Amino acid sequence: EAHVVCPTNRRPYGFDWEDWGRTDFAEAFAHARATLVNAPLRSWLTGHSMGGHGTWQLGAHFPGEFAAIGPSAGWISFGSYVGANAAGGTDAPKDPATEMLLRSGRASDTLALKENYLQQGVYVLHGDADDNVPVSEAREMFRQMADMHHPDFAYYERCGAGHWWGNECVDWPPMMDFLFRHSLPKPESSTVVRFRTVAPQVSSRSAWVRVMQQVAPFEVSLVDASLDAAKRQVTVATANVARLDLAPPVAGGSPLKVTVDGTALEAPAQDKVLLRLVRGAAGPDGKASWSLAAAGPAAREKKPARGGPFKNAFAHGFVAVVGTQGDDAADALLMAKARYDSDQWWVRGNGRFEILTDRAFDPAEYRGRNVVIYGNRDQHADWDALVGAAAGVEVRDGSFTGPVARHEGDDIAAMFVLPRADCDQGQVGVVAATGAVGLRAAMRTPVFVAGVGIPDLVAFRADMLEKGVTGIVEAGFFGNDWGVATGTWMRR
């Protein structure tokens, strides 16, 4: 009747189906699609408890992949379930750094993408005596679906049932019947697409719409697109979109009229229709015009497969390279940090990564892969080759030069991600400090914890461990060209 595909989320308590758990899902799903005989329009998503949360999360981020979803005993988000958010808690102080942390963790905000559920059938299953995931989570989603007037929504609350009430809570016949009744529309009949995403690096595509770049990073982007095949007309409304690709299901061979946010364009005849749209600068009236481009983003620009936030450095077969240009104590501390991160990655992520010194590392042997360097510019022989002298950010012994200001002291830790300076693929993540005090503080950063938001760049003093976000000195996002001047940065 169906293949059952069970990704591992890296470990039983890995990443709550977020961050690398989400990547694990995407890789397993793609592998299953490629290797198992299947009907692509008949894929469904279901899970229990943490898997129920994963169903809500993945269903929201990848709406065009599933005909229907069935969360069982699922919690909505970290905020609804345990009161936590990317800035450290619901009572975090009002500080500009808080906004940056919250934005970088916005992929965890399930309800920010709730309109994507309108593309799927939704069946919610929960026990009303659940003492692990309270039934209030399911009831809230009932209200959310009802408020959206979801046209294809079912809800069953099991009277007297706890968190686990036997195999039926993952194999409930009415839910399975609901799932199996659903199929995705055929591509040629998909004439209307409504898509929401928090970042192209998290999710970029639904049907024939693909968001390539945002105006404001990690704010919700909206695309409402419709196709009139008979008139060869595409109409699009967007918000917070800088680059957009459209591949409408219409035959090529003659021009196509396109209207984007009021800008009328005519795409030339193409054998296979692919429209690459670029948003221009806003005029005096606040409105921006759009134009057609011959190609997608430049090789060194941000794009779905190559962008922030910082956690994305730990992907694409990454390798750790530890600096050895400091004194013995500094070199030992850098190696200790790399090994600690390796242990964290093993325990939480069920994975291993190579650790090399800068003396042993040959960039050409790892071309196209991500590299995470441990050490500042004075400590690391490969800094200029990988980060580049023109990066606009620099960490040295005793000082950190950030996007906004220069900061001095031996107590500053910094983490950031950039494209590798030595090739057009792969990224470089930097874990560095201005001195031993700062690097010891970096030992406490919860990088490998689901839902923790870390923007493209964050730098903090060691007293952040006591003061919280007020100890952050710089935080934010590079521009789509990875520039500092075009970026979004916190300012006090």
Side-chain angles (χ1 to χ4, degrees):
E1 193 167 29
H3 298 290
V4 178
V5 181
C6 296
T8 65
N9 190 30
R10 305 301 298 227
R11 281 200 190 276
Y13 297 95
F15 298 109
D16 299 280
W17 298 109
E18 303 191 25
D19 295 332
W20 298 277
R22 184 169 52 239
T23 301
D24 182 56
F25 153 78
E27 290 175 347
F29 185 52
H31 182 264
R33 277 270 179 89
T35 57
L36 301 175
V37 176
N38 65 94
L41 302 182
R42 291 178 57 77
S43 294
W44 312 285
L45 182 65
T46 185
H48 177 264
S49 191
M50 184 194 295
H53 166 67
T55 301
W56 284 125
Q57 264 277 304
L58 300 168
H61 284 299
F62 307 110
E65 300 291 348
F66 304 103
I69 64 173
S72 172
W75 43 280
I76 304 168
S77 65
F78 292 111
S80 68
Y81 186 35
V82 294
N85 61 37
T90 54
D91 297 323
K94 302 296 183 182
D95 187 274
T98 302
E99 178 192 357
M100 295 303 168
L101 297 181
L102 289 173
R103 284 174 67 168
S104 59
R106 192 144 286 158
S108 295
D109 185 0
T110 308
L111 293 181
L113 303 175
K114 63 182 181 181
E115 290 181 74
N116 285 345
Y117 296 130
L118 293 169
Q119 301 182 40
Q120 310 158 329
V122 178
Y123 192 109
V124 181
L125 183 64
H126 216 111
D128 72 350
D130 192 326
D131 61 351
N132 190 307
V133 178
V135 70
S136 58
E137 296 289 292
R139 292 173 181 174
E140 176 59 29
M141 292 309 281
F142 178 92
R143 286 189 288 269
Q144 295 287 340
M145 297 299 115
D147 288 345
M148 289 193 297
H149 303 288
H150 196 294
D152 190 10
F153 172 55
Y155 182 92
Y156 179 68
E157 194 171 294
R158 181 74 164 185
C159 182
H163 188 61
W164 178 261
W165 40 281
N167 291 343
E168 282 190 320
C169 69
V170 293
D171 190 21
W172 180 238
M175 182 174 72
M176 291 300 160
D177 290 343
F178 179 91
L179 297 178
F180 290 166
R181 287 199 305 268
H182 285 75
S183 296
L184 287 167
K186 295 180 179 180
E188 60 270 21
S189 65
S190 179
T191 58
V192 177
V193 180
R194 301 183 65 191
F195 179 52
R196 309 293 183 258
T197 180
V198 295
Q201 299 91 289
V202 178
S203 62
S204 63
R205 186 197 304 271
S206 181
W208 44 275
V209 169
R210 192 178 193 194
V211 177
M212 301 299 290
Q213 291 179 346
Q214 296 177 294
V215 176
F218 283 84
E219 298 284 7
V220 176
S221 296
L222 299 78
V223 180
D224 291 337
S226 62
L227 166 68
D228 187 328
K231 296 181 179 179
R232 298 190 65 79
Q233 171 74 48
V234 177
T235 304
V236 186
T238 76
N240 192 36
V241 177
R243 273 185 174 269
L244 180 68
D245 282 4
L246 303 176
V250 61
S254 59
L256 192 69
K257 295 179 180 179
V258 186
T259 303
V260 188
D261 296 335
T263 300
L265 304 167
E266 184 169 304
Q270 305 175 58
D271 292 335
K272 185 176 181 180
V273 177
L274 174 60
L275 310 175
R276 299 187 184 276
L277 299 161
V278 181
R279 183 182 186 272
D285 59 357
K287 295 182 179 180
S289 61
W290 285 79
S291 61
L292 287 162
R300 295 195 58 76
E301 289 189 1
K302 285 187 175 181
K303 54 180 69 70
R306 197 187 198 198
F310 172 73
K311 287 184 175 183
N312 280 355
F314 296 89
H316 301 295
F318 69 96
V319 57
V321 181
V322 181
T324 62
Q325 308 305 303
D327 58 32
D328 289 348
D331 292 352
L333 194 56
L334 288 173
M335 183 59 75
K337 169 60 175 168
R339 287 175 171 166
Y340 178 70
D341 284 355
S342 177
D343 287 347
Q344 290 277 303
W345 184 243
W346 164 242
V347 171
R348 291 182 178 273
N350 194 28
R352 296 186 297 171
F353 59 82
E354 294 175 83
I355 300 177
L356 301 173
T357 67
D358 54 0
R359 298 175 188 274
F361 178 68
D362 180 357
E365 292 183 8
Y366 295 85
R367 192 168 298 278
R369 290 172 57 178
N370 284 11
V371 179
V372 180
I373 69 173
Y374 289 80
N376 64 39
R377 190 172 185 179
D378 294 322
Q379 298 167 331
H380 209 287
D382 295 308
W383 179 286
D384 286 350
L386 294 171
V387 178
V393 179
E394 185 177 72
V395 191
R396 307 201 81 137
D397 290 340
S399 69
F400 166 71
T401 303
V404 177
R406 175 184 168 90
H407 311 268
E408 296 186 348
D410 68 350
D411 61 337
I412 302 171
M415 300 182 294
F416 56 92
V417 63
L418 287 166
R420 282 182 59 169
D422 62 330
C423 63
D424 287 338
Q425 292 183 325
Q427 296 177 248
V428 57
V430 174
V431 179
T434 59
V437 176
L439 191 58
R440 290 192 183 98
M443 293 282 189
R444 303 297 301 159
T445 52
V447 174
F448 303 114
V449 177
V452 172
I454 305 176
D456 290 1
L457 176 145
V458 64
F460 56 91
R461 293 191 182 273
D463 63 4
M464 188 190 76
L465 301 178
E466 294 178 326
K467 294 181 177 180
V469 292
T470 57
I472 295 176
V473 296
E474 300 257 4
F477 303 88
F478 295 100
N480 285 325
D481 60 354
W482 289 103
V484 166
T486 55
T488 304
W489 308 107
M490 59 164 269
R491 296 178 186 271
R492 290 196 176 95

